[in-house]
Amino acid sequence: MPTEWKKTCTVLAHKKGSNDDPSNFRPITLESFPLKVFTSCLRDSIFTFLKENNFIEVEIQKGFTPKVSGVLEHTSVMAHIINKACIKQRSVVIALLDLKNACGEVHHNLISEVLRYHHVPQQAHALISSLYENFHTSIITEEYTTPAIPVRKGALQGDCLSPLLFNMCFNTFIQFIRQKKYKQFGFSPHDENDRLYNPIHWFQFADDAAVVTTDERENQLLLNCFTKWCQWSIMKIRVDKCVAFRLKTFSTRPMQFQPKLFINKEIVPSVKSG
């Protein structure tokens, strides 16, 4: 990669809360136009390679996926599952998960290992490694510009290739929970005699997720798997931003309960009963 392409600027987009807290801002990298064009082409080529060889999953992960209706399909199916549980008097447990600064916590060593895991051709692997080597950015505000800062961790937020790299990292976990012994934990929104009878146990919305099962034990097992993966990938779960929900029948009426689910020995906050 040309050295000049690896010199960028970063602006801070305010998300919420106090302007005095840097964590309330999202860094957006402003790259040179040639680099954006190049990484766009590289992204499309790699995704085509992954899709054609069935190396990446696109049914569970809807965020950051080209030509997919984002999270709209997932939210519609989840609404249908809750409605089905009410009508059919079935139990459903849902845990909504949040990763702390997900893209910013991706280690460059993890990106390299994930490229190998997905059999990305060596030429493309070498280009991405070159991009992340000695990459620098300067923070720009209305008042000042910082000296160049080396980027030693995190996918480049604002780069066209970064969303695919993040999906590839998370795909290592999705491939694990696609095993038959875990897929059976899910909730099927279809009738048992329906040809489409296929339990759904995990929804991925880019870096956010929803775990859906019929009871707490199965949900906890999937949460334990996710916790182990986060430890391996050095990702952090924001337990305080996670939430759990349970719906089950009591005296022929669907009622909301507060499930007891744990992440790293911390109880997941429950949706308060209405």
Side-chain angles (χ1 to χ4, degrees):
M1 285 286 186
T3 302
E4 291 302 315
W5 286 11
K6 297 190 285 184
K7 297 177 181 178
T8 63
C9 299
T10 296
V11 295
L12 303 177
H14 184 251
K15 295 187 294 183
K16 61 180 180 179
S18 171
N19 291 338
D20 297 328
D21 186 355
S23 64
N24 289 331
F25 291 81
R26 184 185 305 279
I28 304 297
T29 303
L30 304 178
E31 299 177 338
S32 64
F33 183 74
L35 179 58
K36 279 190 172 291
V37 173
F38 183 82
T39 53
S40 294
C41 296
L42 186 60
R43 173 202 61 202
D44 293 344
S45 297
I46 293 176
F47 181 76
T48 300
F49 167 79
L50 297 174
K51 189 76 183 320
E52 289 178 350
N53 289 280
N54 198 31
F55 289 152
I56 194 165
E57 199 281 335
V58 295
E59 294 300 323
I60 292 177
Q61 173 65 280
K62 296 296 183 182
F64 299 151
T65 304
K67 299 180 181 180
V68 171
S69 57
V71 301
L72 179 61
E73 181 180 345
H74 273 354
T75 52
S76 298
V77 173
M78 285 188 65
H80 177 65
I81 285 175
I82 295 173
N83 186 54
K84 193 79 171 182
C86 291
I87 295 174
K88 296 293 185 178
Q89 298 183 3
R90 296 169 59 188
S91 173
V92 62
V93 181
I94 300 175
L96 304 179
L97 309 177
D98 180 79
L99 286 173
K100 180 181 179 181
N101 188 25
C103 289
E105 293 294 324
V106 175
H107 284 252
H108 295 173
N109 287 340
L110 175 61
I111 293 176
S112 182
E113 290 301 321
V114 162
L115 292 172
R116 293 190 186 94
Y117 173 84
H118 289 89
H119 308 287
V120 172
Q122 182 57 37
Q123 297 93 330
H125 189 164
L127 284 170
I128 296 171
S129 297
S130 176
L131 172 63
Y132 276 82
E133 184 179 3
N134 296 323
F135 193 96
H136 288 72
T137 189
S138 297
I139 309 297
I140 294 181
T141 71
E142 294 180 354
E143 300 176 355
Y144 64 88
T145 299
T146 69
I149 302 170
V151 179
R152 297 193 175 97
K153 186 175 73 169
L156 306 176
Q157 298 190 46
D159 178 73
C160 300
L161 182 61
S162 293
L164 177 59
L165 292 178
F166 178 83
N167 275 7
M168 291 169 67
C169 291
F170 212 94
N171 189 58
T172 58
F173 174 72
I174 291 176
Q175 294 297 338
F176 178 77
I177 61 172
R178 287 181 71 193
Q179 297 179 72
K180 187 176 181 180
K181 63 179 179 179
Y182 295 114
K183 290 186 69 174
Q184 66 182 355
F185 290 165
F187 183 101
S188 176
H190 308 288
D191 296 327
E192 293 188 7
N193 59 352
D194 195 319
R195 291 183 179 180
L196 297 177
Y197 181 75
N198 188 21
I200 300 172
H201 66 330
W202 198 281
F203 295 87
Q204 194 66 34
F205 306 84
D207 57 339
D208 296 318
V211 191
V212 181
T213 59
T214 56
D215 62 45
E216 293 182 28
R217 183 189 67 85
E218 295 177 353
N219 206 292
Q220 186 63 63
L221 286 171
L222 288 171
L223 289 179
N224 293 343
C225 292
F226 184 60
T227 302
K228 290 292 185 182
W229 180 85
C230 288
Q231 292 172 352
W232 170 79
S233 61
I234 320 181
M235 296 279 190
K236 298 178 181 178
I237 307 173
R238 286 289 304 269
V239 181
D240 60 313
K241 287 192 173 183
C242 299
V243 65
F245 167 86
R246 182 176 186 182
L247 190 70
K248 67 178 182 179
T249 302
F250 184 78
S251 299
T252 71
R253 291 182 56 191
M255 294 189 65
Q256 181 180 325
F257 291 83
Q258 297 182 7
K260 291 184 178 180
L261 301 174
F262 297 86
I263 296 176
N264 292 324
K265 298 183 179 180
E266 293 184 57
I267 191 166
V268 179
S270 298
V271 175
K272 302 299 181 182
S273 301

